[in-house]
Amino acid sequence: MAHSDTVDRILDAAEELFAERGFSETSLRMITSKAKVNLAAVNYHFGSKNALIHAVFARFLTPFSATLERAFDDLEGRCGGAPPTLNQTLLALTESAVRMPQRNERGISIFMRLLGLAYTQSQGHLRRFLEEEYSQPFGRFMGLLKEATPQLSAVDRYWRIQFMLGATAFTMSSSDALQGILYNKLGVESSVEEIALRLVPFLAAGMRAEDQMVMPASVVTSPAG
Amino acid sequence: MAHSDTVDRILDAAEELFAERGFSETSLRMITSKAKVNLAAVNYHFGSKNALIHAVFARFLTPFSATLERAFDDLEGRCGGAPPTLNQTLLALTESAVRMPQRNERGISIFMRLLGLAYTQSQGHLRRFLEEEYSQPFGRFMGLLKEATPQLSAVDRYWRIQFMLGATAFTMSSSDALQGILYNKLGVESSVEEIALRLVPFLAAGMRAEDQMVMPASVVTSPAG
DNA sequence: TGTACATCAGTGAACGCGCGTTCACTGATGTAC
DNA sequence: TGTACATCAGTGAACGCGCGTTCACTGATGTAC
């Protein structure tokens, strides 16, 4: 898979179309006609549609995970041995995402949307690919979260991390649509950067919530099974 | 579309397969063979695959929205004029979902998963259908949220509601997988009811977060475009 | 009570279509001697 | 410098397949007279 103009044009077109429509709703014919490239070129350069999906993710995730590792190194250096706080950890992640060098002004929105799709549309092969390739920075982020929330039980922490991932993945993967709705309703313009920074206090507060669950008797005593 | 055994069998099979695999990854041949029914029966009874998707949603959303309206009536009655609190509002929603009479023990998980898919896979026709049919209870829920969070600006409230919906839709739509991962990691069994009740304090704390956004200068001054 | 007709759930087979993939081929460039 | 061969990006056309949908048909039940 040596680099040629054709390879980049295919990756650019695929990235945009996947972000707009999802993976299975985007055909190779759409991609190659947008890229102004022969239909057979995808299989020639990448081997299969699934391999093209992996290549699209690798192109932005590989530099992103390097940026993120550096941000975590930097944060741990600044904290000098003490564990970084929850807000610091979340901000390091957010800033890394927002500051990633982008190919164009829509880059960050596409990047976020693809991450969201990876989580919600994951088709087995993609989940496996991402786990194999990027478990290192992901595991490090999880470790930092654990150190930043020592008051939580492992089970509480697990579920709250899922809630955080969900809020982020969902909002970011629909960010264009949600910005449009907000503009129609309130006439307010917004940016992906702004959404990302609004997420941080929301997520941090959720992680720190002290409320005990109120378990209504009806729920405890009447499981459906 | 008069009711016959065939109609119910198709709806049961479609509901389960949609929840497992999503809409476009589930073919009519899968549905009709699982339902032990002729392929042409779907188009005979429902008219099209899209109309079948609508019927699957209507079958559980119509009774759910009735239950929800009653729960809100009840809550407003108990509060006697004062606006219900955020926790009360979220609990009314959660309890309505959890207490919905289910066809079988997996019912609630399927119900949640379909709601999550409706949000994340929405294909235009489904979004339009849901907006037309169920805007009333949805709008009422939004109104209650507004009264319960008078301290938030309209823009803050808008984004935080999206974060809540995202955390809920995402977690619920992957609840089976997430419960499995938790069991493998920590040996802990869990239920959809429990997840739903863990969500409430997380979301309520996020909605109430007072932190101001920390806008790093680098982000404010270096938009990509 | 008997006959003719209408209605309707359900069926088997085929339709056309778009899909990812494959294959034989071209033409430009590089390399060996 | 010239010739023969190898490599490789790219192409045009076709492949087989599974998809949603359609259509002519069956057979049971209900209704009118």
Side-chain angles (χ1 to χ4, degrees):
Chain A
M1 202 198 307
H3 254 248
S4 68
D5 187 47
T6 303
V7 167
D8 287 325
R9 293 235 302 281
I10 291 172
L11 286 170
D12 288 343
E15 184 178 89
E16 271 200 65
L17 287 168
F18 287 152
E20 268 169 34
R21 322 174 36 96
F23 306 114
S24 45
E25 281 72 21
T26 302
S27 71
L28 294 185
R29 282 166 179 79
M30 290 177 199
I31 293 168
T32 52
S33 87
K34 183 179 179 114
K36 298 199 170 74
V37 139
N38 187 278
L39 168 62
V42 170
N43 279 274
Y44 175 74
H45 285 289
F46 297 93
S48 69
K49 185 181 178 182
N50 279 354
L52 170 62
I53 295 174
H54 298 173
V56 165
F57 275 86
R59 188 170 63 153
F60 75 88
L61 270 187
T62 298
F64 173 65
S65 68
T67 302
L68 190 58
E69 295 274 16
R70 265 182 275 113
F72 287 156
D73 289 345
D74 185 55
L75 177 60
E76 288 182 327
R78 276 187 281 125
C79 291
T85 67
L86 184 56
N87 274 58
Q88 285 176 321
T89 304
L90 295 177
L91 263 178
L93 179 72
T94 308
E95 282 190 66
S96 298
V98 165
R99 292 166 101 167
M100 272 279 290
Q102 304 297 332
R103 271 178 300 284
N104 60 60
E105 76 272 10
R106 294 181 48 232
I108 186 153
S109 143
I110 290 177
F111 166 95
M112 292 291 185
R113 171 99 177 128
L114 285 174
L115 277 182
L117 284 179
Y119 243 94
T120 57
Q121 293 208 348
S122 207
Q123 304 143 303
H125 75 94
L126 182 54
R127 181 158 294 171
R128 251 171 282 125
F129 170 78
L130 296 175
E131 275 168 9
E132 277 167 26
E133 298 289 319
Y134 303 103
S135 63
Q136 154 67 20
F138 185 76
R140 189 168 175 192
F141 176 62
M142 289 295 168
L144 286 169
L145 284 183
K146 183 172 178 181
E147 287 185 285
T149 55
Q151 80 283 5
L152 290 180
S153 73
V155 176
D156 271 331
R157 188 182 302 113
Y158 175 81
W159 285 115
R160 290 187 181 189
I161 288 173
Q162 300 305 331
F163 302 157
M164 288 207 303
L165 293 175
T168 307
F170 169 82
T171 313
M172 290 310 179
S173 74
S174 314
S175 61
D176 279 0
L178 296 176
Q179 288 178 55
I181 294 169
L182 179 62
Y183 184 75
N184 286 339
K185 271 178 63 173
L186 301 174
V188 175
E189 303 254 21
S190 48
S191 68
V192 174
E193 287 84 349
E194 187 200 325
I195 303 173
L197 292 168
R198 278 180 197 279
L199 258 168
V200 172
F202 179 94
L203 300 178
M207 287 297 279
R208 277 194 296 260
E210 285 181 12
D211 306 36
Q212 284 303 304
M213 279 187 293
V214 186
M215 271 277 194
S218 58
V219 171
V220 175
T221 58
S222 66
Chain B
M1 203 200 306
H3 255 248
S4 69
D5 187 47
T6 303
V7 167
D8 287 325
R9 294 235 302 282
I10 292 172
L11 285 171
D12 289 342
E15 184 179 87
E16 271 199 64
L17 287 168
F18 287 153
E20 268 169 34
R21 321 172 38 93
F23 306 114
S24 45
E25 281 73 21
T26 301
S27 72
L28 294 185
R29 281 165 180 80
M30 290 177 197
I31 293 169
T32 52
S33 86
K34 181 177 181 117
K36 297 198 171 74
V37 139
N38 187 278
L39 168 63
V42 170
N43 279 274
Y44 175 73
H45 285 290
F46 298 93
S48 70
K49 184 182 179 183
N50 279 353
L52 170 62
I53 295 174
H54 298 173
V56 166
F57 274 86
R59 189 169 65 151
F60 75 88
L61 269 187
T62 299
F64 173 66
S65 68
T67 302
L68 190 60
E69 294 275 17
R70 266 182 274 111
F72 287 156
D73 289 345
D74 186 54
L75 177 61
E76 288 181 328
R78 276 187 282 124
C79 291
T85 68
L86 183 56
N87 274 57
Q88 285 176 320
T89 304
L90 295 177
L91 263 178
L93 178 72
T94 308
E95 282 191 67
S96 297
V98 166
R99 292 166 103 165
M100 272 279 290
Q102 303 298 331
R103 270 178 302 283
N104 62 58
E105 76 272 12
R106 294 180 48 232
I108 186 155
S109 141
I110 290 177
F111 166 95
M112 292 291 186
R113 170 100 176 127
L114 285 174
L115 277 182
L117 285 179
Y119 242 94
T120 57
Q121 292 208 349
S122 208
Q123 304 144 303
H125 75 94
L126 182 54
R127 181 157 293 170
R128 252 172 279 125
F129 170 77
L130 296 175
E131 274 167 11
E132 276 166 28
E133 298 290 318
Y134 303 103
S135 62
Q136 155 67 22
F138 185 75
R140 190 168 173 192
F141 175 62
M142 290 296 170
L144 286 169
L145 284 182
K146 182 171 178 178
E147 286 184 286
T149 55
Q151 80 283 5
L152 291 180
S153 73
V155 176
D156 272 330
R157 188 183 301 113
Y158 174 81
W159 285 115
R160 291 187 179 188
I161 287 174
Q162 300 306 331
F163 301 157
M164 289 208 302
L165 292 176
T168 307
F170 169 82
T171 313
M172 291 310 178
S173 74
S174 313
S175 62
D176 279 1
L178 296 176
Q179 288 178 56
I181 294 169
L182 180 61
Y183 184 75
N184 286 339
K185 272 178 63 175
L186 301 174
V188 175
E189 303 255 22
S190 49
S191 68
V192 173
E193 288 84 349
E194 187 200 323
I195 303 173
L197 292 167
R198 277 181 198 280
L199 259 168
V200 171
F202 179 93
L203 300 179
M207 287 298 279
R208 278 194 295 260
E210 286 182 12
D211 307 34
Q212 283 305 303
M213 278 189 292
V214 187
M215 271 277 194
S218 57
V219 171
V220 175
T221 57
S222 67

